Amino acid sequence: MAGHPTSPGPVDPGADSPVATTAPGGPVPETRAAPRREERPPLPEAAEDFLRDYGPDAARPRRVLALLSDGRWWTANDLVRASGVAHAVIASLFGALEGAGELEREPGGDRRRLLSPVPYSGAAGPTLADPVAHLLPAHSRAAEELARAVAEGPASDLDLDHVSATAETALRRALFLATRFDLRQRTLLCVGDHDLTSLALALVRPDARVLVVDLDERVLAHIDAVADRLGLPVRTHTTDLRLGLPPSLREGADLVFTDPPYTPDGVDLFVRRGVEGLADPRRGRVLVAYGASETTPKLAAATQARMVRSGLLLEAVWPDFNRYLGAESIGAASDLYVLRPLARALPSPGGDSSRVYSQGVNAKEARGGLDTERATAVLERVAELTGSAPADDGADAGAGAASPALVGDWPREVAGGTRVRLSTWMDSPTAVGARAVINLTGGWERSAPRVALASTADDTFVLVPSSSRWVRDEAGQKGFRALVEPGFRVRFLRGVGAADLTAIRCTRVPEPGAGTAGLLAHVQGRSHGTLTATLRAGLVETAAGRGLPINKRTARHAVAAVPDWVAGHTLLDLPEHRFPGLRTVVSDLVAGLDEAGAERGRSEGEG
């Protein structure tokens, strides 16, 4: 395993070595007795019994006893964060000590302390060397900036299994990456980054290129704001990783870091996306922060087994490397894995699964989605709204052809037109005819505006729970419109199929005009294309519509002058906070056409 010391090899007889050599028949050299290990004084009986029963891994609860030996009041969670020992273990230790009269509880509170801490002073023992602790003092500025960034960052989203890592953990990760690997002029991809590891690496290694992909728009906006303030080389992309990695991030990174949801499915998905992002998986590495309680080893075993079955070598594991502001059930800590892919691609599990998180709307135990009855009611209502007959088992080919395409997860019993997986829909333009109905219930509604933009149909119904942020109030509806207009005309239809469902009807605007609206609609109508390409083509088209024709070279020069965050994105992976800036970019390009036209008119007039 990487990081382990190598054998010193055969001893050179002429070297100064711990093994002396003598000629045959010579005197036996005097040997130096090994120093005796200092014996620790015994602990009180209740503690010794607990450690004995715990087995050879008793060094972990010893950490807790060492902390308690200071005589202060401690909560269980404080001990978890300080020791890295799971909450269940500490609770069990508390029970043993309280039962023996060794521990007292704070009156009216939940803190405990030892009644007689002195007998526990020998609980502390030697510890293994930390791989990066000696590097921390040289990076005080980075530590200060990260502490500020973590403090000002967005709150955890429990639906995404967020638990914030400490600022020091982000710095430790960056130092490990920068020391263990050569990152000069190389690219790190962060698959999810609520912990701000991207910013930490950019502070430590500013000559590296750092890319971030995440579903949480708040996280992306915060990373961009900090990177802009500090001048750091970080670029962000948005996507729902369950549906795939953005094309611009595939096969481009040298290293990947991820702190995924701690379910076997969640780890598998995020690692899989990481491998997809590696330029050369056989040379690259995927670093994973993953933890499980020491009381549930089967969960960790299941996750590790999936890694091995997927063709990943567990090259190294550093226990308790990462620390968190929460997650006490797993000791507020996780291990750092270094994974080495053994093939260019991992075997695909197939299908689009939304249930990769441990809690919230996307947990395995969560309810959601459409059953046959509700799905049928939805399609009947869509048929009424569009004046078309719903499909049925006895419909002829002509009637079936008029049925809308069904995108996403629909019951098999529901009749309809073409069926398209959501991942296919988002990956490339999919021709489905005039109308599509997209099911985003069951945990997919965050991506509603982008799913609408990806449509090739003239009339698209996006079905979401009425509790979705995009439909539940005026602010959410305004936000949705800001992302899809002027290319689409939007209506919010409550109670479609059921009282708790809302359909967002997006109707394509056929002729939005030849100005700013026209250029923006051109880009929105080609959402799978890169922004630079769609802006260039749209600028040529807009110029012709305004009677100011330009060639492709002129358009290329104009688009080359836009802000650098535009490059490398499609409209589908552009972070939400960049959309107002994109409107400004489009407006400036159209204004440039008008200025060029006016200049041309003045020149012709003078001539």
Side-chain angles (χ1 to χ4, degrees), residues 384-572:
E384 293 174 5
L385 292 168
T386 58
S388 60
D392 56 56
D393 293 339
D396 59 25
S403 300
L406 303 183
V407 182
D409 187 16
W410 291 85
R412 293 180 180 179
E413 297 80 5
V414 173
T418 303
R419 290 181 181 248
V420 183
R421 282 183 177 176
L422 204 51
S423 55
T424 302
W425 184 261
M426 298 301 291
D427 186 63
S428 59
T430 306
V432 293
R435 186 172 298 113
V437 185
I438 307 170
N439 177 23
L440 296 186
T441 64
W444 301 102
E445 65 269 15
R446 286 176 185 258
S447 301
R450 300 174 195 278
V451 170
L453 287 168
S455 179
T456 59
D458 292 332
D459 197 10
T460 303
F461 290 79
V462 181
L463 189 68
V464 299
S466 295
S467 59
S468 167
R469 62 165 285 210
W470 300 115
V471 301
R472 66 183 175 223
D473 55 32
E474 184 178 353
Q477 295 177 10
K478 182 178 179 181
F480 187 97
R481 293 181 189 276
L483 298 178
V484 304
E485 292 179 345
F488 293 88
R489 184 169 60 252
V490 180
R491 291 180 61 198
F492 299 93
L493 308 171
R494 291 193 178 276
V496 172
D500 60 345
L501 298 177
T502 295
I504 309 172
R505 186 174 187 178
C506 301
T507 306
R508 193 175 302 279
V509 177
E511 296 182 6
T516 300
L519 178 52
L520 190 55
H522 178 96
V523 173
Q524 291 173 332
R526 295 155 181 81
S527 59
H528 292 89
T530 64
L531 285 177
T532 49
T534 57
L535 284 171
R536 287 196 300 263
L539 194 60
V540 171
E541 182 179 291
T542 300
R546 297 171 73 84
L548 304 167
I550 60 173
N551 56 32
K552 293 181 180 179
R553 181 180 180 184
T554 301
R556 185 179 302 110
H557 281 299
V559 173
V562 304
D564 59 4
W565 53 259
V566 173
H569 282 102
T570 70
L571 201 60
L572 299 181

Side-chain angles (χ1 to χ4, degrees), residues 64-71 74 79 94 97 103 112 114 117:
V64 181
L65 294 173
L67 291 167
L68 286 168
S69 70
D70 66 4
W74 288 85
L79 285 170
F94 276 179
L97 295 179
L103 205 65
R112 278 100 161 169
L114 289 170

Side-chain angles (χ1 to χ4, degrees), residues 188-193 197-199 210-214 255-258:
L188 172 74
L189 171 62
C190 291
V191 180
D193 195 28
T197 303
S198 59
L199 296 174
V210 187
L211 303 172
V212 178
V213 60
D214 204 299
L255 284 177
V256 171
F257 188 93
T258 185

